[in-house]
Amino acid sequence: MLNPNPKITNPKMSRSLMWTLLPLGLLLSLSGCYRYKNQILFQGLKDTTYAASMQQPKPIIQRGDQLSIMVYGLDDKTTAYFNAPMGGGQGGNMQMMQGGQGGGILGYLVNEEGTIEFPKLGTMQVLGYTHEQLRDTLQARLTPWIKDPIVNVRMLNFRVTFMTTTHAQTVFIMNQKTNILQFLGMVGGIQWTDRKDNVLIIRQIDSVRQVIHVDFTKKDVLNSPVYYLQPNDIVYVEPNKLKFVESNVAVISLVTSITSTLSILVLFINSLSK
């Protein structure tokens, strides 16, 4: 008696089916690598009151810094000499830079030797000073010319660089107590196709370079040592695997097209074998 349901074994058809399902499996595995949970920031935060640390590491003056130094006192004529835009012995390192608003701003450029040229005081070593230390030093050394001087020191080129696989930009920070969340707001945030659990902060202070990983999906990011930004920080956001798929749309479209063609071919072969 003949078997009414004979099994048809066709090695070529089996291989075709395998190559049809393989790209589909690859696409499903890549798309499944990025879970919904990985989109949620600050996981574990509750409605309560947290003790927020307002202590920010004090920026250290480094080579290439552009410093605004303003001198104040009771005698406007005397202080005007120290605040003169282009004169008074400021030498060659009173430089013009373009600020964030497009206007020209004068500042003292810290050269490769770590010094600036200041009126009356001449060459001053400022490398490694905090702004407060330089302020106190200037106030003490200016007393022969100004009674009870007040000095204000501010960095003009406080900049942070943001990098992803698709673009990079450098932002000049006007508010020098800017935290990393505010900075991400300036650059458009982290995209959903980028990793939020392994953001890299590269920080260099003089000859020491630090690399710190930050997980924005955890509440601990609010207590991170890099929560407050420092001059010349680099924020690098890694892509997830889905980003690879997105950036290769043409390849995926081709794979999909081939897959569809093979699927139709397999169905056609099956229909002929019945």
Side-chain angles (χ1 to χ4, degrees):
M1 180 181 294
L2 295 175
N3 188 349
N5 297 309
K7 293 184 180 180
I8 299 174
T9 304
N10 189 330
K12 292 185 177 180
M13 186 178 68
S14 299
R15 284 195 295 270
S16 298
L17 183 60
M18 180 187 69
W19 287 109
T20 300
L21 297 177
L22 183 61
L24 290 175
L26 177 62
L27 289 174
L28 290 174
S29 64
L30 288 174
S31 61
C33 288
Y34 197 62
R35 298 178 298 167
Y36 168 75
K37 186 178 180 181
N38 292 339
Q39 297 270 40
I40 303 173
L41 305 182
F42 320 127
Q43 296 175 32
L45 277 180
K46 299 179 180 179
D47 293 338
T48 185
T49 301
Y50 292 88
S53 174
M54 297 300 292
Q55 191 67 28
Q56 179 184 15
K58 295 180 180 179
I60 303 298
I61 296 175
Q62 304 183 64
R63 297 173 180 86
D65 283 354
Q66 200 100 15
L67 303 176
S68 166
I69 302 176
M70 301 300 296
V71 180
Y72 304 94
L74 298 177
D75 186 353
D76 292 339
K77 291 184 179 179
T78 304
T79 55
Y81 171 82
F82 293 96
N83 296 324
M86 291 300 292
Q90 288 151 343
N93 75 339
M94 186 74 164
Q95 301 291 329
M96 180 80 75
M97 67 169 287
Q98 292 297 317
Q101 304 301 319
I105 303 175
L106 289 171
Y108 291 87
L109 177 66
V110 182
N111 62 24
E112 287 301 310
E113 286 72 38
T115 66
I116 62 172
E117 295 291 330
F118 199 80
K120 292 293 186 182
L121 302 181
T123 302
M124 291 187 62
Q125 178 63 242
V126 298
L127 188 67
Y129 280 48
T130 65
H131 295 176
E132 290 79 4
Q133 289 172 333
L134 178 57
R135 176 201 64 195
D136 295 342
T137 299
L138 287 170
Q139 287 179 171
R141 296 184 61 180
L142 287 174
T143 50
W145 298 278
I146 303 174
K147 184 178 180 180
D148 299 326
I150 297 175
V151 177
N152 180 276
V153 178
R154 181 180 176 83
M155 182 179 294
L156 297 176
N157 60 341
F158 192 123
R159 58 198 172 199
V160 178
T161 298
F162 180 74
M163 297 181 63
T164 69
T165 54
T166 55
H167 80 284
Q169 67 182 106
T170 298
V171 179
F172 279 88
I173 306 294
M174 304 304 294
N175 179 4
Q176 298 185 12
K177 199 173 180 63
T178 298
N179 63 55
I180 193 169
L181 302 181
Q182 294 168 330
F183 173 74
L184 289 177
M186 298 177 187
V187 297
I190 303 175
Q191 301 303 310
W192 72 276
T193 50
D194 290 327
R195 292 186 62 177
K196 300 174 179 65
D197 60 347
N198 194 33
V199 176
L200 206 63
I201 311 297
I202 302 173
R203 173 172 295 176
Q204 181 160 342
I205 300 176
D206 199 15
S207 59
V208 178
R209 184 177 295 121
Q210 295 176 293
V211 178
I212 302 172
H213 294 263
V214 179
D215 186 351
F216 281 90
T217 67
K218 306 296 183 184
K219 65 180 181 179
D220 298 338
V221 66
L222 302 180
N223 296 318
S224 170
V226 293
Y227 180 72
Y228 287 107
L229 295 172
Q230 291 285 296
N232 304 312
D233 277 355
I234 298 174
V235 181
Y236 172 65
V237 180
E238 294 183 4
N240 58 45
K241 292 182 180 180
L242 192 59
K243 188 74 171 183
F244 172 79
V245 178
E246 183 189 61
S247 62
N248 291 275
V249 175
V251 176
I252 298 302
S253 299
L254 179 61
V255 171
T256 304
S257 177
I258 295 174
T259 300
S260 300
T261 303
L262 290 175
S263 298
I264 294 172
L265 182 60
V266 169
L267 290 174
F268 178 72
I269 294 173
N270 283 335
S271 65
L272 292 178
S273 62
K274 290 181 179 179

